[in-house]
Amino acid sequence: MLKIQVLGPGCANCQRLETLTRQAVAGLGVEAEVEKVTDMRQIMARGVMATPGLAVNDKLVSTGRVPSASEVMALIANVLAEEDAGS
Amino acid sequence: MSSFGEITSAKGDIAGAGQRPGAPSLAVAAERRASIRLAAGLALVALAWVGAYLALRPLADVLTYDLLRLSRDSHLGSAVNFFLYDTPKILLLLTAVVFAVGIVRTFFTAERARRALGGRREGIGNVAAAGLGVVTPFCSCSAVPLFIGFVEAGVPLGVTFSFLIAAPMVNEVAVVLLFGLFGWGTALLYVALGLSIAVVSGWVIGRLRMEHHVEDFVYEMAVGQLDAEERLTWPDRIARARQAVREIVGRVWPFVVVGIAVGAGIHGYVPEDFLADVMGKSAWWSVPAAVVLGVPMYSNAAGIIPVVEALMDKGAALGTALAFMMSVIALSLPEMIILRRVLKWQLIAVFIGVIATGIVSVGYVFNLVL
């Protein structure tokens, strides 16, 4: 199962990204757990200085902006494709 | 040399994964066609923009004086004409500038700014930080992680503040409104003064050695590095700039419309010199009063600048007006509350005090010089 994290302290942009991510997951029809990371320690440990950040299976794929729904889908699909190629 | 070869071939494998031989060249051709379409589209939009801009004046005049049959000399006529001309003009300018700035911002990230500023000396560091604060994408909701990231990377406290002051103060929305309503001179003046305040305030805060007034947990935090940098193509950059236009223009247009409507009302109905006593040069207390008044007001530049422009027409002095604008834009209560999470209250107080002093000085200098 995919693990998707939205990193951000809970600002409006972070909430928008979370909603978009859930839509993207539904659109892709993949099984995924969407988690919101609001703890500043964890956010900083990932090196995210511009929120919101988006991580798919612990790989950071976007920071500092809210990508569009189709972009989020592409970002998730990219990580899936890379993992398939790697295994 | 061999390692380079491996890297390129590995990349080629990923790009070509699952494709038939010969497919890459097709992909390249398709990509080229897409770029040409994109360039042609941009050129068309630019042409339409110029056409619309040139049509603004005659269109507003026809609408006001011919269609609505308002007299050129009436208060209502001049107010309506002002509104019908300035609103679309500002929105068009805003769209173009936000797009251009959106492209520029794709070349800057908080990580790059941190790398450029880490371990930098004060002085030059403050200047560099203020400049980077303007061009780096920044949202006040990211102020806390950015602050921690900078401080942990060894960016001096004062240099970090120069960045945090310049970022909201010198923004494209303010510059467009100042240019559209006041002209180039005032817009440039605002940018120069905003940068100066950011540089000097940051430098002063650095001199005051306030490091121990940063919340302790900031220094104990482990800050990671980003895995890799994004590689962006031109179509990516253009897509991001378009997204910035949708977001920023989509957010501020109601402020522009209401601000210009209020401004038009003031232009048309408030008597000349109405404000000369309270906001004119002769009233020495008006500059600090304007700054104090501006702090709790959390409007954006789009809403406040048209009103200020109208006030100046009624006798308010430029220095007082500029001080008010800067105070509204740069000193906002919500941002202070956000920063309180990483700064002890003494440092917050110094932060507000130093910037407010800078803004008041700017106001006085302008009232004296102009």
Side-chain angles (χ1 to χ4, degrees), chain B:
Chain B
M1 277 311 286
S2 69
S3 67
F4 277 115
E6 272 163 36
I7 290 168
T8 7
S9 71
K11 256 168 56 186
D13 282 351
I14 292 170
Q19 278 174 341
R20 283 174 290 110
S25 67
L26 273 177
V28 167
E31 215 166 89
R32 189 168 303 153
R33 271 199 304 277
S35 315
I36 291 169
R37 260 204 306 275
L38 194 62
L42 275 182
L44 267 178
V45 171
L47 255 157
W49 189 95
V50 172
Y53 196 85
L54 291 175
L56 284 176
R57 184 82 266 173
L59 214 62
D61 287 351
V62 165
L63 273 174
T64 333
Y65 306 123
D66 297 339
L67 243 70
L68 294 171
R69 297 185 179 285
L70 295 168
S71 149
R72 276 174 197 270
D73 309 315
S74 69
H75 283 327
L76 185 65
S78 69
V80 168
N81 188 254
F82 176 82
F83 179 79
L84 287 180
Y85 174 63
D86 276 56
T87 316
K89 181 179 89 173
I90 295 295
L91 291 176
L92 272 177
L93 284 172
L94 205 55
T95 307
V97 172
V98 168
F99 183 80
V101 172
I103 297 268
V104 170
R105 291 221 166 120
T106 60
F107 291 94
F108 295 89
T109 61
E111 286 75 36
R112 281 181 204 175
R114 173 169 72 172
R115 233 176 297 141
L117 297 173
R120 182 103 29 190
R121 275 187 307 124
E122 284 166 334
I124 296 182
N126 294 105
V127 176
L132 284 170
V134 175
V135 291
T136 305
F138 172 79
C139 144
S140 59
C141 47
S142 284
V144 166
L146 187 109
F147 180 87
I148 299 171
F150 273 33
V151 169
E152 284 287 306
V155 180
L157 192 60
V159 174
T160 305
F161 273 112
S162 283
F163 186 99
L164 284 178
I165 297 166
M169 178 132 70
V170 184
N171 67 76
E172 63 274 30
V173 176
V175 172
V176 166
L177 275 125
L178 286 170
F179 166 66
L181 297 170
F182 290 84
W184 271 122
T186 313
L188 283 176
L189 208 66
Y190 179 88
V191 171
L193 290 172
L195 286 173
S196 312
I197 289 178
V199 170
V200 174
S201 303
W203 186 80
V204 169
I205 292 172
R207 292 289 95 191
L208 290 174
R209 303 256 154 259
M210 306 279 299
E211 279 76 6
H212 55 287
H213 289 298
V214 173
E215 292 289 353
D216 301 326
F217 77 90
V218 170
Y219 296 116
E220 291 151 14
M221 212 166 242
V223 177
Q225 288 286 330
L226 280 191
D227 312 337
E229 277 210 17
E230 279 182 304
R231 236 169 281 151
L232 294 176
T233 61
W234 272 99
D236 291 338
R237 294 184 199 282
I238 289 165
R240 292 205 179 176
R242 285 180 57 182
Q243 200 192 1
V245 169
R246 268 199 303 278
E247 254 179 55
I248 297 177
V249 179
R251 190 180 63 234
V252 304
W253 76 263
F255 290 91
V256 172
V257 172
V258 172
I260 294 178
V262 172
I266 295 174
H267 270 299
Y269 291 99
V270 176
E272 297 282 322
D273 288 338
F274 178 73
L275 287 165
D277 291 338
V278 274
M279 282 183 82
K281 287 184 189 182
S282 51
W284 66 268
W285 47 267
S286 68
V287 176
V291 172
V292 171
L293 203 66
V295 178
M297 288 186 66
Y298 181 57
S299 172
N300 53 41
I304 208 75
I305 292 176
V307 177
V308 169
E309 195 264 342
L311 294 181
M312 281 188 59
D313 196 41
K314 304 300 171 189
L318 179 61
T320 313
L322 271 175
F324 180 62
M325 280 189 268
M326 287 186 158
S327 168
V328 171
I329 297 165
L331 283 173
S332 79
L333 229 44
E335 202 187 335
M336 298 305 143
I337 293 166
I338 289 173
L339 283 174
R340 176 65 190 85
R341 289 171 59 188
V342 280
L343 308 177
K344 293 179 186 161
W345 65 266
Q346 293 96 326
L347 188 43
I348 293 271
V350 167
F351 180 65
I352 296 175
V354 169
I355 301 177
T357 311
I359 296 176
V360 169
S361 330
V362 161
Y364 278 130
V365 167
F366 268 88
N367 284 352
L368 278 177
V369 172
L370 294 174

Side-chain angles (χ1 to χ4, degrees), chain A residues 5-11 14 36-40 43 48 51-53, chain B residues 141 145:
Chain A
Q5 291 165 307
V6 176
L7 302 109
C11 52
C14 317
K36 240 179 122 185
V37 179
T38 53
D39 176 37
M40 197 50 78
I43 295 173
V48 175
T51 56
Chain B
C141 47

Side-chain angles (χ1 to χ4, degrees), chain A residues 39-62:
Chain A
D39 176 37
M40 197 50 78
R41 254 164 246 279
Q42 282 187 52
I43 295 173
M44 292 314 298
R46 306 293 288 271
V48 175
M49 276 198 297
T51 56
L54 183 71
V56 181
N57 281 356
D58 288 322
K59 187 179 188 295
L60 204 58
V61 292
S62 164

